[in-house]
Amino acid sequence: MTAVLEPDRADGTLLGRGGAPTTAQKLAELRRRRAEAAQPGSPRAARRLAARGRMTARERILALLDPDSFVETDRLARREVDGYAGPQPPGDGVITGYGTVDGRQVCVYAHDATHRGGSAGAVFGAKVSKILDHALRVGCPVVGINDSSGARVEEGVLALAAYGEVARRLVTASGVIPQISLIMGVCAGGAVYTPAFTDFVVMVEQTSHMFVTGPDVIRAVTGERVGMEALGGATVHASRTGNAHYAAASEADAIDYVRDLLSYLPANNLDPAPVWPPAVPLAVTDTDRELDTLVPDQATTGFDMCEVIRRIVDDGDLLPVHPDFARNIICGFGRVDGTPVGVVANQPLHLAGAIDIDAAEKAARFVRFCDSFNLPVLTLVDVPGYLPGTAQEHQGIIRRGAKLAFAYIEATVPKVTIVVRRAFGGGYAVMGSRELGADLCFAWPTAQIGVMGAAGGVALLHHRTLAGADDPTATRQALVREYEEQLLTPYRAAEHGCVDDLILPSETRSTVARALRALSTKRVVLPARKHGNIPL
């Protein structure tokens, strides 16, 4: 007998006998609501995004995750707000869920800028908090895709409370699961501190903007006129402020960078990082031998440390972190013998490889991240010391420069250091020296290790001799040679155990690989304490 269907006066839904919907109607209703939730908040806003070469929140998630792996959570969540009569679409401006990247579990959330500018309110806080709690329970990375006009004004304190709930969970998860932020639009006001809590921030050139106070407010308060790009664009944060770890050329490039980054990282602080089969045997290759001629004969001549790194890591592949910020120091992820490692290296092509405030803070945070997730640290040294000058001193080089030493000492992961050329003064100590806790330290025969370089040392020790010399130039050259042979020679460091061995440059890759194998079972027992107090 066919059921008698009656229209529901409220929304037109067909009902069965007695006013109850049939099973088929219930399934159809769910499909309708799912389809509604999958649509952009505003089709017009979605078209504007597409015209600017930008994706919607859902498109970004699907581009990040493996095909057909995304499982959305809280897709129907919404909440009526007192005093606001506007529509509240399912999801309410944020998409949350989980899926896989290269088959490995990842949690994700994304602001939906097509619904009221992606503004954040109570539903945002509840949904994102739930997915962060889930990520902590299962131990998987979190990727947050930020594209939001900020807190939803009409929700008042509820919007502010939402940011607080999310921030508290991000801090709780710090050092437990990797956290990555993609800035793919505006991130302003209090919202900027959410990505600032995460481990890595990736921005997109021309379309990403991040600032605490916007151009209009700055102009109203101070009279200063500045555009969004100059104030908080990707280039500014990737090269000047250091707030962004990578400035991508496009949204697709940003997503590719995050997928590459995840491939080096463990799911959490208790799981091992993904290990690949060794790229080549440990026997010395022709590529290895190229290192034997890479360092110039003149100690004052620069060379590209990236060329050294490419000949050590598998396939010559290094994923840079902060490549445009503090370029005098290199940080990035690579693999040695199939094992992911964090690489820290001085770059002689910029400031002669000297350490300034930005370089110290950049490397310190990177080392601490590696230590949090049990990634070995490989350090390559060519450093003339800390950068001198009143600007550095007055900006706090003592306190801020000490962060790098603190990070190396605090780190308990395997630490392998190679002194490539210069290692002078405080620069020697803080760049992963044996005395600061390096497990194994090696030096090339081109290395010079001492308190200061030969020119400065001779000027300090022999100024009277030089002043009374008949031929000051010849005398200085002789004294420099003597200083280098007696005080800077790497053999002196080896004799005193400051380096474990001198190696040929061509032996570096195999030496590092064998060192990491030997250190794979390293265990450290520390004194009981809550945490250290790094000089912030």
Side-chain angles (χ1 to χ4, degrees):
M1 182 175 178
T2 305
V4 178
L5 302 180
E6 301 174 355
D8 184 298
R9 294 180 182 176
D11 59 9
T13 302
L14 293 176
L15 304 178
R17 185 181 298 274
T22 65
T23 297
Q25 290 163 352
K26 292 178 180 179
L27 299 183
E29 175 66 8
L30 175 57
R31 293 190 182 98
R32 183 189 69 79
R33 289 176 181 258
R34 280 184 171 182
E36 180 186 359
Q39 296 303 311
S42 164
R44 181 183 177 188
R47 289 192 295 270
R48 287 201 302 266
L49 287 176
R52 298 178 61 190
R54 299 169 60 193
M55 293 181 273
T56 64
R58 193 171 300 275
E59 289 170 341
R60 291 163 177 165
I61 289 174
L62 296 180
L64 171 68
L65 301 178
D66 296 336
D68 300 321
S69 72
F70 180 52
V71 177
E72 188 171 354
T73 60
D74 287 316
R75 76 174 88 192
L76 303 179
R78 58 182 167 189
R79 189 176 305 174
E80 297 299 328
V81 179
D82 294 339
Y84 178 72
Q88 299 290 340
D92 200 14
V94 63
I95 301 172
T96 58
Y98 54 88
T100 60
V101 173
D102 294 330
R104 303 169 66 219
Q105 195 73 31
V106 175
C107 286
V108 62
Y109 63 91
H111 292 276
D112 182 1
T114 66
H115 173 56
R116 300 168 68 191
S119 57
V123 173
F124 165 85
K127 290 179 64 172
V128 175
S129 293
K130 282 178 66 176
I131 202 63
L132 290 172
D133 289 341
H134 174 80
L136 269 173
R137 281 195 302 270
V138 303
C140 74
V142 173
V143 178
I145 303 176
N146 296 263
D147 187 358
S148 171
S149 58
R152 192 168 294 174
V153 176
E154 60 271 21
E155 294 196 28
V157 69
L158 295 179
L160 302 179
Y163 282 130
E165 292 291 337
V166 171
R168 180 161 53 86
R169 285 166 171 82
L170 293 176
V171 173
T172 300
S174 182
V176 181
I177 53 176
Q179 301 178 78
I180 303 171
S181 293
L182 278 160
I183 311 298
M184 289 189 158
V186 175
C187 186
V192 298
Y193 295 109
T194 300
F197 290 143
T198 61
D199 300 307
F200 299 98
V201 176
V202 179
M203 298 184 70
V204 181
E205 293 175 350
Q206 302 302 318
T207 61
S208 295
H209 301 97
M210 188 165 56
F211 40 73
V212 174
T213 307
D216 293 340
V217 176
I218 290 176
R219 183 169 60 252
V221 174
T222 69
E224 181 182 3
R225 295 182 178 273
V226 62
M228 289 180 63
E229 189 66 23
L231 177 63
T235 301
V236 169
H237 286 306
S239 62
R240 293 188 61 184
T241 70
N243 291 327
H245 297 78
Y246 182 71
S250 64
E251 293 195 358
D253 180 30
I255 289 171
D256 287 343
Y257 180 87
V258 171
R259 288 180 63 92
D260 286 345
L261 177 58
L262 288 168
S263 72
Y264 291 96
L265 309 182
N268 54 69
N269 64 333
L270 299 179
D271 287 353
V275 176
W276 290 15
V280 293
L282 294 186
V284 174
T285 66
D286 290 339
T287 301
D288 294 324
R289 294 187 184 92
E290 292 173 359
L291 289 177
D292 289 338
T293 57
L294 193 60
V295 175
D297 292 335
Q298 297 297 322
T300 56
T301 303
F303 67 97
D304 190 354
M305 186 65 81
C306 290
E307 294 299 323
V308 177
I309 297 171
R310 292 189 187 104
R311 288 163 176 80
I312 297 174
V313 298
D314 295 353
D315 301 318
D317 191 11
L318 181 77
L319 184 73
V321 173
H322 276 315
D324 299 318
F325 175 68
R327 298 174 68 188
N328 42 321
I329 203 159
I330 300 167
C331 296
F333 295 105
R335 292 181 180 85
V336 176
D337 198 31
T339 300
V341 298
V343 179
V344 179
N346 305 110
Q347 175 54 286
L349 295 183
H350 297 278
L351 297 179
I355 300 171
D356 63 354
I357 288 171
D358 287 343
E361 293 185 335
K362 167 183 170 178
R365 181 165 170 81
F366 183 76
V367 169
R368 297 192 89 201
F369 174 85
C370 292
D371 187 49
S372 295
F373 293 98
N374 302 305
L375 296 170
V377 177
L378 170 62
T379 306
L380 303 174
V381 184
D382 183 4
V383 59
Y386 276 93
L387 185 67
T390 56
Q392 289 288 303
E393 296 290 347
H394 293 171
Q395 291 172 28
I397 187 65
I398 295 173
R399 169 178 52 84
R400 298 166 72 181
K403 296 177 186 179
L404 184 53
F406 194 105
Y408 268 110
I409 295 170
E410 185 183 47
T412 61
V413 293
K415 292 173 285 189
V416 179
T417 298
I418 309 292
V419 182
V420 173
R421 191 167 63 169
R422 300 161 301 175
F424 296 153
Y428 158 78
V430 302
M431 286 298 297
S433 66
R434 198 75 166 82
E435 295 73 26
L436 260 63
D439 298 294
L440 290 167
C441 185
F442 304 94
W444 288 4
T446 52
Q448 293 184 327
I449 305 173
V451 175
M452 62 179 64
V458 167
L460 181 66
L461 296 175
H462 301 289
H463 59 279
R464 292 182 179 177
T465 302
L466 292 172
D470 295 333
D471 187 348
T473 301
T475 302
R476 180 179 291 103
Q477 291 175 347
L479 290 172
V480 164
R481 286 194 298 271
E482 179 183 354
Y483 184 97
E484 291 176 339
E485 292 170 358
Q486 294 185 3
L487 299 181
L488 298 185
T489 172
Y491 297 99
R492 180 182 178 90
E495 290 168 359
H496 292 278
C498 297
V499 297
D500 295 293
D501 197 11
L502 295 180
I503 61 172
L504 296 173
S506 55
E507 298 170 341
T508 304
R509 181 180 59 85
S510 59
T511 298
V512 172
R514 290 188 172 96
L516 292 176
R517 290 179 183 181
L519 293 167
S520 62
T521 56
K522 177 184 176 181
R523 298 290 182 270
V524 176
V525 178
L526 297 174
R529 64 177 178 178
K530 190 171 183 180
H531 56 73
N533 188 20
I534 189 169
L536 297 175

